[in-house]
Structures are given as structure tokens and as C-alpha cells.
Amino acid sequence: MDTSSQPHDSKASVSLAAAGLRLYDTAGHQVTPFRPIEPGKVGIYVCGATVQSSPHIGHIRTTLAFDVIRRWLLRLGYQVTLIRNVTDIDDKILTKAAANGQRWWERAYIYEREFTHAYETMGALPPTYEPRATGHIPEMIDLIQRIIDRGHAYVVPDEQGRPSGNVYFDVASWPEYGALTHQQTGTQPADEQAAANDRLGPSIDTDDQAADTDEEPGKRDPRDFALWKAPKPTDPPTARWQTPFGTGRPGWHLECSAMSHRYLGAEFDIHGGGLDLRFPHHENEMAQSHAAGWGFAHRWMHTAWVTQKGEKMSKSLGNGLSVDQVLSQHPAWVVRYALVSVQYRSMLEWSDQSLQEAEGAYERIRNFVDRAGRILGAQPERDRVAGLSADDLPEDFVQAMNDDINVSEALASIFALIRRTNTIMDQLSNSKRANKDSSMTQVSQALLSVRGMLDVFGLDPLSEQWNHNGGSQLAGSHEKALDTLVRARLDSRERARKAKDFKLADQIRNELAASGITIMDTSSGPTWTSNC
């Protein structure tokens, strides 16, 4: 894992460019200037996965979107604390574990590890901390008691008048309910934008959590939601905790309020997640946290869905793509590019075309970086690339990123600089000495800038992340040696293809694939990456 983009100096100063950052706030429905609660520091809480099955592309889109946001905040000079939770207990985990003869905590950990591997493979920086819901039961019990004491929750008694284990938030007691989504009744969307989003239904991130409904008797109002849930008869003893409210387990919404408060305090800068979490999850989080007397998140940021052929990616539609499946067919760099090249609030259409465009981008970037490095005789040191602040990067790129993380415009500025510099390199052989020196300086500056901008997206092809995966063949003697060996096999394959010996060509491709080498045939010849 390449960690060079993470902060090391606790006294790092905020860049001049930071003053121009503007971000969308879901609650306010507008883009506004970003000002952190504490100067120089940003606290972010992002809702993580419910680890009941393997990760899919729909899950990873949100993770990578906030990874880019975090990387940009780091370039602006902020110290960033990012908390991403793991929901390791819910109805689906318990049900699926029982159906597969597993212990529920065993199943949760198996898939938690799969998610971690997917995040790492896709180049996401690790969170500052990744708390599990089951590790914070005492904080949840304290929070429930706090809400009860303030008159905004109630305990349902059993037939003998004892606490049943069911505790509900009293929505009617909280007039501010609906402040995030502007829902007039707490059950209906308040505007057409919200209605259009809701018509798509829950995304792959939460379509299983949506089934975690509050069906127990004793609710005073259909809008009330569970803070604590009495166990079902089928729940194993290890999935039950003793509390003053009775035996049970936490409600889904409660978990995030307790964990965000534990690690970020009563107030923090940004709460993020998929757009489908907006209601009911984030609405309920906001209500219960404010009802507890906390300030909670100052800004809400939500990522849009991944779609296929205009339909939201969902397991129920049968078009959810597992990360392993996609990575078996495409290099991780290409998949990451396809996922981060669309602005986080825009729907991302997942298709063969989007992956082909990502492969084309890889070819153009790789060819530029390789060519510029050969002309200059060396590449900028990785530490120098990672150490560039926002103030060191091209102005058009900075303006795009400061405009609510407008990645499309930011990427356009990268490719515009690549085109201009390619023209300069084309003319170098005919340049006079004085002009040549000036041109070489321009190439050197452009190469550093391009790699620095790519690194904001986690896509610098010479970073440790992609060198380990064979993303570039310019850094290190081992990579050079491997490139020489692979190129020799590719040359043999090309000769076989020209001789129409397709059996031999396929055999070479299969041999390389068996060794973890993926070949991409491009207009300028074959390139390769390693999945090892």
C-alpha cells in the first residue's frame, strides 16, 4: 500500500488554494465554501459496508469517491481524520450465517477481509480508523439512555411489564425530524429530486439493510425507528447483549451515531455515504444525535449510484458485478480510473465502453510518462510527486477540484497538458540548443505536474501501489527485469500473430495470464500489467 499521500507532519500548513474549496451539502441543497470546524483539520465519517457478502463495484464507488475527496483535502494541507465503520451484525448476517452453517461473527469477518482486500487492491488509502459496530456496545447503551433521559425515546415493556429489549426513537417528540431530506412527514420525499432518487430504490450498498425493518409490536408511530432490538428466537446467544432496556442488539442507525461520536466528537465536518443512505439511515442518525444534545455533522455529502444500461446496479437485477470478477478481466488501475473519473454526485454508467475509455486513458498516460522519462533520462522522485501541494499544481486543475471535486474538468486539464507537452517533445529533435533547454524544462515541469495531478486521483502510474501491480515498468531494477522478460514474450506473440499462428499466440497469452500478467492490445502495440 502506497502511503506517501498521507499526512506525516502534524504541523503541516494549509495551502492558499484551500480558501477556494466549495462543496455540496445535501441538507442545504447547494454548493457552499468549505470551512472546517477546527482550522487545519478535517473530520470525516463515511458509512462503510455491512459485511454479509462479497464486495461489488457498487460498494467500491463510494469508497473511492471519498478517497479522492480525502486526497484533495490532504493536498490542500489539511490533517484529515477519516472514520469508516464496519456493520458486522444485522439481520442478513445472522440469517445467511445460519443458512450456511457459519457462526455470525465468522461470516462477518470473512467478508470484512474481502472488503479490506478490495479497498487495498483498488488503491484506497486506509481509514484513520475502522471501528466495528460490535466493539462499541457500551457507547450505544449510553447513547440510548441519553436519548431516553431527554424524552425522545421509549422502552417497550413485555407482557409482564418488564423491559422487552425494544427501544424506539420517538419521532413525534422531535419536530426537526426531516431536516436532512426535507421530507414533510418523515415518509414522503419533499421535492422532485428526492422523489427521483427514491424511485431508483436502495443501492447495492443498502438493499440488504433495507430488509432490517422494525416489525416488533409496541411502536407508538409507524415513523419511529429502533434504537435497540429484542432478539428473534433464531438469534444465537452470542448475538445478544444485556442492557437496562432488556436483552437485544443495536439498531442499525444507532451504530453510526455512537461510533462517529466516539472518534470525531459531538461535532465534525463531513458525514458521507451513498445517496440511498440519505433516508432513512442518515435522517435517523441526524435526529437521534441532535436529540442526544450533540451537534453532529456540519456537512452531508452523498455519492450517486452505479448504473448499467440506465438501471441502478443491484443484486436483485442480477447485474451486480463482484470486484473479483471485474479485476479478473481488467487491471486495478483501469477499474479505479473508471470509477473515479465521474464526479461523485453524478450517476456512473458501468459498461464495456467506460472500461475501454479507462484503458485508453491508461495507454495515453503510460505512453506520456514513459516517453517524458526517457527524454529527460529520469523520473521525478516519488516523494517529490507526493509532496506537491495544491499550490504547486496547475491553476485550472485546482479550480476544477475546488469546484465540488469536479473530476471531469480536472482530468481534462491533465490530458490538455499531456497534449501540449507531447507537441513539445515532438519538436525537440529540431530545436536549437537554447530552445531545447527551455523545452526540456517545460517537459520536466509538465511530467511532475501530470504525475502530481494523477496522484490526487490515486492514479500516479509510478506509485508503489501500481508498481507492485506492474502498472509501470520504469521504477526499480526488478520491474525493469520483469518488463524485459514479458516484452520478450510479447514480441514472440506478435511474430506468431503476424505468421497467423494464432494457436501459439493464444498459448503465450495464456501462459502470461497464468503467471498473473494481463495483456492489453492497443493501437500502439500490446501493454501489460501484473495482478500479482
Side-chain angles (χ1 to χ4, degrees):
M1 169 63 65
D2 179 18
T3 58
S4 56
S5 294
Q6 300 179 70
H8 297 286
D9 182 0
S10 60
K11 299 181 180 180
S13 59
V14 176
S15 70
L16 295 175
L21 179 61
R22 294 168 58 83
L23 297 172
Y24 187 79
D25 177 31
T26 305
H29 283 183
Q30 60 183 333
V31 177
T32 58
F34 176 75
R35 301 290 181 266
I37 297 170
E38 183 177 352
K41 297 182 179 180
V42 178
I44 305 175
Y45 185 90
V46 177
C47 286
T50 297
V51 286
Q52 49 91 12
S53 59
S54 296
H56 288 64
I57 289 300
H59 297 110
I60 303 301
R61 195 272 168 101
T62 293
T63 301
L64 295 184
F66 280 97
D67 187 58
V68 171
I69 293 168
R70 179 189 187 186
R71 287 171 182 265
W72 183 239
L73 290 169
L74 291 172
R75 293 287 177 159
L76 292 173
Y78 289 112
Q79 297 175 47
V80 181
T81 299
L82 187 143
I83 306 299
R84 184 183 67 221
N85 74 295
V86 175
T87 298
D88 59 344
I89 184 167
D90 83 333
D91 284 338
K92 285 291 183 178
I93 292 174
L94 296 173
T95 300
K96 291 188 175 184
N100 288 276
Q102 297 169 302
R103 292 160 291 195
W104 64 270
W105 44 264
E106 173 190 13
R107 184 179 184 87
Y109 187 55
I110 287 171
Y111 290 110
E112 179 185 339
R113 290 171 64 188
E114 282 198 20
F115 272 88
T116 298
H117 178 69
Y119 297 149
E120 291 176 348
T121 302
M122 298 298 293
L125 298 175
T128 308
Y129 190 61
E130 194 166 23
R132 297 187 184 114
T134 54
H136 297 78
I137 300 299
E139 288 91 342
M140 296 178 199
I141 294 172
D142 290 345
L143 174 55
I144 293 173
Q145 189 63 59
R146 185 181 179 94
I147 298 172
I148 291 174
D149 292 343
R150 293 171 68 90
H152 299 298
Y154 56 92
V155 181
V156 177
D158 63 14
E159 295 177 354
Q160 287 75 41
R162 297 171 301 191
S164 66
N166 285 317
V167 184
Y168 294 101
F169 184 86
D170 186 358
V171 171
S173 75
W174 190 249
E176 297 176 23
Y177 189 82
L180 173 61
T181 55
H182 307 287
Q183 299 196 29
Q184 296 167 352
T185 67
T187 59
Q188 297 296 323
D191 55 39
E192 180 55 32
Q193 179 185 12
N197 293 331
D198 292 344
R199 280 195 293 270
L200 285 172
S203 80
I204 193 169
D205 285 322
T206 55
D207 95 47
D208 293 303
Q209 291 163 326
D212 195 10
T213 54
D214 307 323
E215 299 174 352
E216 298 297 326
K219 289 171 64 170
R220 298 174 182 172
D221 188 309
R223 299 175 300 167
D224 295 350
F225 56 89
L227 300 177
W228 195 258
K229 302 174 68 171
K232 298 177 181 179
T234 55
D235 287 353
T238 53
R240 311 177 188 200
W241 287 265
Q242 296 289 337
T243 77
F245 331 113
T247 302
R249 57 185 174 84
W252 171 39
H253 313 300
L254 183 83
E255 299 171 354
C256 288
S257 285
M259 288 185 283
S260 62
H261 183 268
R262 169 66 177 81
Y263 296 101
L264 295 173
E267 297 187 65
F268 54 96
D269 296 291
I270 297 171
H271 194 314
L275 184 62
D276 46 339
L277 297 179
R278 189 178 46 90
F279 185 85
H281 184 48
H282 288 166
E283 188 72 75
N284 292 352
E285 273 190 75
M286 174 187 274
Q288 67 197 10
S289 294
H290 283 306
W294 299 340
F296 211 52
H298 281 211
R299 183 179 301 265
W300 292 84
M301 299 178 69
H302 292 93
T303 58
W305 290 283
V306 178
T307 60
Q308 282 188 307
K309 298 180 181 178
E311 295 184 286
K312 176 184 57 63
M313 184 179 287
S314 162
K315 293 175 188 174
S316 61
L317 295 176
N319 59 357
L321 296 176
S322 72
V323 174
D324 284 347
Q325 177 185 349
V326 174
L327 290 177
S328 70
Q329 300 169 357
H330 305 279
W333 190 103
V334 169
V335 178
R336 180 180 175 104
Y337 184 97
L339 288 170
V340 305
S341 60
V342 175
Q343 202 256 7
Y344 73 96
R345 286 197 291 125
S346 299
M347 297 292 184
L348 192 160
E349 176 67 16
W350 189 257
S351 63
D352 290 340
Q353 180 180 347
S354 62
L355 288 164
Q356 289 169 3
E357 290 172 354
E359 290 174 353
Y362 173 80
E363 178 187 354
R364 292 171 63 190
I365 289 169
R366 176 185 178 277
N367 288 343
F368 170 78
V369 172
D370 288 3
R371 183 187 184 193
R374 287 195 303 271
I375 288 174
L376 295 171
Q379 288 283 342
E381 292 294 329
R382 172 66 190 150
D383 287 346
R384 188 182 176 198
V385 173
L388 293 174
S389 76
D391 292 340
D392 300 320
L393 298 175
E395 183 177 356
D396 55 350
F397 179 86
V398 173
Q399 290 178 350
M401 292 300 292
N402 271 348
D403 181 19
D404 194 30
I405 319 297
N406 189 339
V407 298
S408 298
E409 290 296 324
L411 286 169
S413 70
I414 293 175
F415 286 108
L417 180 55
I418 287 175
R419 286 193 299 271
R420 293 195 300 270
T421 310
N422 276 332
T423 300
I424 293 172
M425 291 190 290
D426 289 341
Q427 299 170 347
L428 265 173
S429 59
N430 298 323
S431 299
K432 295 182 180 179
R433 180 66 187 182
N435 292 337
K436 188 171 184 178
D437 290 345
S438 175
S439 296
M440 291 287 281
T441 298
Q442 292 179 63
V443 172
S444 178
Q445 292 173 343
L447 177 59
L448 179 62
S449 293
V450 166
R451 287 186 54 196
M453 290 185 288
L454 288 168
D455 199 46
V456 170
F457 292 96
L459 292 170
D460 175 19
L462 299 189
S463 70
E464 180 183 333
Q465 173 74 30
W466 310 118
N467 276 322
H468 176 72
N469 290 329
S472 174
Q473 293 77 43
L474 291 178
S477 58
H478 293 296
E479 287 78 11
K480 291 181 180 179
L482 179 59
D483 184 48
T484 299
L485 294 172
V486 174
R487 290 287 174 188
R489 296 299 290 153
L490 292 181
D491 289 343
S492 297
R493 177 172 172 267
E494 286 300 291
R495 288 193 295 271
R497 294 176 69 184
K498 289 179 181 179
K500 300 188 182 300
D501 188 350
F502 298 113
K503 181 178 180 180
L504 176 58
D506 289 343
Q507 178 183 333
I508 294 172
R509 173 187 279 275
N510 293 338
E511 288 173 354
L512 290 172
S515 301
I517 303 297
T518 299
I519 300 172
M520 289 186 292
D521 291 310
T522 71
S523 58
S524 59
T527 63
W528 67 274
T529 58
S530 170
N531 299 320
C532 300

